[in-house]
Every structure is written in C-alpha cells, then in structure tokens.
Amino acid sequence: MTRVRSIAVAISLALGAVVPAVTLLAPAAQAAEQAQNKITTKAVAAPLKAAQEAMQKKQWDVALTEIKKAQAVDKKTPFEAYQIDEFMGYVLIQQKKFGEAAPVFERMLNSGLMPADQVDERTKTVAQLYFQMKDYNKASQWAKKWLDKHPNTEDMGILLGQSQDLLNDFKGAAATMGTVVNNAEKAGRKPDENWIQIVMSSHFKLNDRDGIGEALKKMVRYYPKAEYWENLLDIYRRKEGGDRLTLGYYRLMNDVGVLKDKGDFVEMAQLAMDAGVPGEAQDTVQKGMDVGTLKSADKTEQGRYDRLLAGAKKQADLDKASLAQLATEAEKSSSGQPQIALGQAYLSYGDTDKAIAALQKGIAKGTGVTDIDEANISLGIAFLKKGQKDQARQAFKAVKQGKWSDLADLWAIRTQSA
C-alpha cells in the first residue's frame, strides 16, 4: 500500500460567542505506517489504497466511496476497522460533514486502539463535533471526560456549560460557568459577558435570588450597564432595613442613573428630608423635574411636586445658614454623632472636602455615633465623589456584616466604574 504522507484531522469549529474557534491537529501518520504492516485482508487493502490516492488529490467523494467499500467487508480485523474509521473521519471532516464524523471518532476512542498521545485531543474533537451538530447530551458527556483529566480548561468548560444550559440542566450550567468566570478572575482577566449571563439566567430559572444577585454583582463590576444595575438594585433595595437604608439604596440608584420612576424620586426626597439632609431632597426633586419625570399636565399632581420642591428649598436654606453654628458645636461635643451629621449635611450640598473632614472626625471619636456603618458609607461616597477611589473602597470595606453590608459591597463595586 502506498504510504500516506500525512493523515491529520484538521478541525476548525466556530461555536459562536460562547466557545471560541478551535483548531485541532491529530496526526495519524504513525497509524498509517502501522497499517502497511497489519492490514492483511486484500478486500480491505485495495479500496484503502485507492482512497489514499484520492485523498492525496483531494478527491474527497471518490475517497469516501472507496473507504465505504472497505467498510462493507465482512471479515476484517479490529485494527483494519480502526484504520477504516481513521480514513473516514478525516475525509468527513474535509467535507465538513461533522454530524457524520462525530460517531466515527467516538467509535475510534471506544475501540481501545487509538494511540495514547491522540486520545486527549480526539476527546475534545468529539465534544466539539457533537456540540456543532447540536447533540448537547453527547457534547456534555465528552466535555466531562476531557475535564476529568484537564480540570479548569476554559474552552471545554464553556462548551460544557453551554451544553448544560441548552439541556435545561441549570444547576450544572450555573456551577460550570461559575467556575469558568471565577478562573478568569483569578487569572486577572475580564470574564466574557455571555458567561456571566449564563450563570445569571441559570439562577433565574432555578428561582435562586441570591445566585441572581451574586451574578449581577459580577455583571455591574465588569459590564456596568444601567439595566444590570437596575435589576441588581431592585433585588437589594427591597430588603428590610429601615428608611435610612432605603435612602442609601436610592442614592446609589441615583448615582448609577437608574432612578427613573416618579414614586422613587418623591420617596427619595421625602426620606432625605426626614434624614435631615434637605439639600439632597431639593436636588432630587429638581433633577426629577429637569429630566421630565416630575412634570405633569395634571395641575394637581404638578402642584404636589412644586410644593415638595419649595419645602425642600426652604428647609435647605435654613439648614445652610445653621452649618457654621453646627460646626462649632460639633467641635466641642464629646460625641462623634454631631460631626457625622455635619459631614452628611456637607455631602448633601456637594462640599466633599468638609464632608470628609467632619465624617472622619466623627468616626474617630466613635462615642455616641448612632450608626458607624452608615457613617462609613457616607465617608466612602464623599471620597468617591472627590475621585479618591482607593480611600472610598477602604471606607466601604470598614462596614461590618449587617444590614449595611450589601449596600457597602455595591458601592465598592461602583468605585470600579465611576
């Protein structure tokens, strides 16, 4: 039999955004050499020789016809059957008949005759071929075989996660793609948006709100789109924690541009008034009017917005006039709370330097501070508005586990895209 110079499986499968294009080369020249010595059945040898000649000329249809003649021989050795599959698999790949090629390669892997140095790459090939032909059950089976030997391999992890998602194995998809995302982060790389989307959608289908929240945190960290922030904050701001915590979430909503509803603008303004920061209330109502949310053709409705703005402005004017006196009293107080309140007032008027100084003094005193975690969040916001992101992250990190910790984590994430 004429020696085949090169029998190689050259596969390039573009599996969309989820699985990148992969080129696999699995040479079988050695197997071809062995075939010269071990193919003894004349009815097999003759058509395989003709197939080799046709393959050298890239006459794939002719080659396939000859290979099928060899395949049709009843009495052939296991090695001859393996060699026929080797030839057939190669030709089918050249013809881009991936659906027909997949079971051929699977049969070769299961034969026990495949050279050890080819098993790994052929395993990956089979997984990719089955994925290409949308047999996701088979694709996942072979991807798992690869990952059992090569854990944390990104391309096969992606293929497995995608297959599990398409098989409605949402628990498996969330776990597999979660590992892919985490490995990318550990390597200092930005995870693909689609990977996180699979994790998020899997948790959604499992009705796992905590899982959705964690996935959305990664989304806003790497892809801070308004829709992701809106969905994330919609989960967290509904947790119980009191009016001041609710105001904290409204502040973050406002900062990331997802404060949109009339009711949210009005409630934020009212909560700010109750919290003793009327300047923030005034700014909130004014912004709602400027963007048209708090504009109405209904005179009664518009009258409510106008009165809310006027009331906030009046209280803010009085508050501003008292700041100097409050600053003097805060300096004299042994309690840290007056400094905290003063810092929060300065922050509401956009005076970040004075806000930072007052908040730091109040936190340092410690004694009498109503809520040290809220104070640290206010300090972090002040640093962030000043553009000092590292200091902001340190302040948010100082918040202890409790009702403020989720909000602190979200503000810390915000520092990465602000």
Side-chain angles (χ1 to χ4, degrees):
M1 182 182 296
T2 304
R3 179 180 181 276
V4 177
R5 294 181 181 179
S6 175
I7 300 179
V9 179
I11 304 172
S12 184
L13 301 180
L15 302 180
V18 178
V19 182
V22 179
T23 300
L24 305 178
L25 298 176
Q30 183 179 4
E33 291 284 357
Q34 293 172 341
Q36 294 180 7
N37 301 321
K38 295 186 178 181
I39 294 179
T40 57
T41 305
K42 291 183 179 180
V44 172
L48 283 189
K49 178 180 179 181
Q52 288 182 19
E53 293 171 352
M55 289 160 64
Q56 289 170 344
K57 299 175 184 178
K58 297 184 178 182
Q59 296 174 345
W60 308 120
D61 289 339
V62 173
L64 188 60
T65 298
E66 295 298 329
I67 293 167
K68 286 182 178 180
K69 289 180 182 178
Q71 189 179 46
V73 175
D74 288 332
K75 294 181 179 181
K76 51 184 178 285
T77 68
F79 183 82
E80 290 170 343
Y82 178 86
Q83 282 301 128
I84 291 167
D85 279 344
E86 179 80 38
F87 281 50
M88 180 172 288
Y90 177 73
V91 170
L92 289 172
I93 290 297
Q94 300 305 315
Q95 294 179 311
K96 301 190 184 302
K97 295 178 180 178
F98 302 131
E100 295 179 44
V104 174
F105 284 106
E106 183 175 12
R107 192 163 59 238
M108 291 167 64
L109 279 162
N110 291 332
S111 71
L113 297 174
M114 182 172 288
D117 62 353
Q118 294 181 21
V119 170
D120 278 359
E121 286 305 311
R122 293 292 179 92
T123 298
K124 181 183 284 190
T125 298
V126 170
Q128 292 172 314
L129 287 172
Y130 276 123
F131 188 93
Q132 183 74 1
M133 62 187 289
K134 300 182 180 180
D135 187 338
Y136 304 119
N137 188 45
K138 284 276 193 178
S140 64
Q141 289 175 17
W142 285 95
K144 285 177 182 177
K145 288 183 179 182
W146 169 272
L147 290 168
D148 284 344
K149 293 180 66 176
H150 308 280
N152 301 321
T153 305
E154 187 171 277
D155 59 347
M156 282 291 100
I158 295 167
L159 188 147
L160 175 58
Q162 177 91 346
S163 297
Q164 289 169 323
D165 181 57
L166 292 166
L167 289 167
N168 294 333
D169 176 10
F170 303 123
K171 185 176 181 180
T176 301
M177 294 306 298
T179 298
V180 171
V181 170
N182 291 337
N183 286 341
E185 290 179 311
K186 289 176 184 176
R189 294 185 290 107
K190 180 179 179 180
D192 189 271
E193 184 175 4
N194 193 58
W195 305 347
I196 308 174
Q197 283 177 337
I198 291 175
V199 177
M200 183 172 63
S201 66
S202 296
H203 284 300
F204 177 80
K205 290 163 186 172
L206 292 168
N207 197 29
D208 178 2
R209 289 179 65 84
D210 290 339
I212 297 169
E214 289 303 311
L216 280 167
K217 281 184 180 180
K218 291 185 185 291
M219 275 298 197
V220 298
R221 179 178 289 116
Y222 298 109
Y223 304 94
K225 297 177 182 179
E227 63 185 281
Y228 296 142
W229 271 113
E230 189 171 6
N231 291 333
L232 178 60
L233 287 168
D234 187 59
I235 291 174
Y236 282 97
R237 73 186 182 103
R238 298 184 187 281
K239 294 184 177 182
E240 294 294 328
D243 289 348
R244 296 186 74 92
L245 182 60
T246 300
L247 176 59
Y249 279 107
Y250 275 132
R251 285 170 175 152
L252 183 52
M253 290 173 66
N254 191 28
D255 194 71
V256 298
V258 298
L259 188 71
K260 299 176 181 179
D261 295 340
K262 293 179 181 181
D264 289 341
F265 273 103
V266 171
E267 185 178 14
M268 181 178 177
Q270 290 172 336
L271 290 174
M273 296 276 280
D274 294 341
V277 282
E280 186 173 10
Q282 180 183 348
D283 288 345
T284 300
V285 179
Q286 188 62 61
K287 179 178 179 179
M289 289 183 172
D290 291 343
V291 299
T293 303
L294 298 185
K295 288 286 187 181
S296 175
D298 185 305
K299 292 183 178 181
T300 301
E301 182 181 357
Q302 188 61 48
R304 289 199 298 270
Y305 303 148
D306 292 340
R307 287 192 297 274
L308 182 59
L309 179 61
K313 185 179 185 306
K314 181 179 179 180
Q315 192 170 326
D317 289 341
L318 293 172
D319 187 52
K320 283 181 182 179
S322 69
L323 287 180
Q325 180 62 31
L326 290 174
T328 301
E329 294 173 358
E331 285 291 339
K332 295 177 181 179
S333 177
S334 61
S335 170
Q337 187 57 37
Q339 287 283 8
I340 299 297
L342 180 65
Q344 290 171 334
Y346 283 138
L347 180 58
S348 73
Y349 297 118
D351 194 338
T352 54
D353 287 330
K354 288 184 178 180
I356 291 169
L359 287 163
Q360 286 179 322
K361 287 180 181 178
I363 292 170
K365 284 185 178 181
T367 304
V369 176
T370 302
D371 195 324
I372 195 71
D373 289 332
E374 181 187 12
N376 274 307
I377 287 180
S378 295
L379 179 60
I381 294 171
F383 275 127
L384 183 58
K385 290 187 178 297
K386 190 173 171 59
Q388 296 177 337
K389 296 182 180 182
D390 288 340
Q391 292 92 327
R393 281 189 280 269
Q394 290 175 10
F396 296 135
K397 189 176 180 180
V399 175
K400 298 179 177 65
Q401 284 297 318
K403 71 176 186 178
W404 293 96
S405 58
D406 285 333
L407 180 59
D409 288 344
L410 297 181
W411 272 109
I413 292 171
R414 173 59 176 156
T415 64
Q416 299 178 9
S417 59

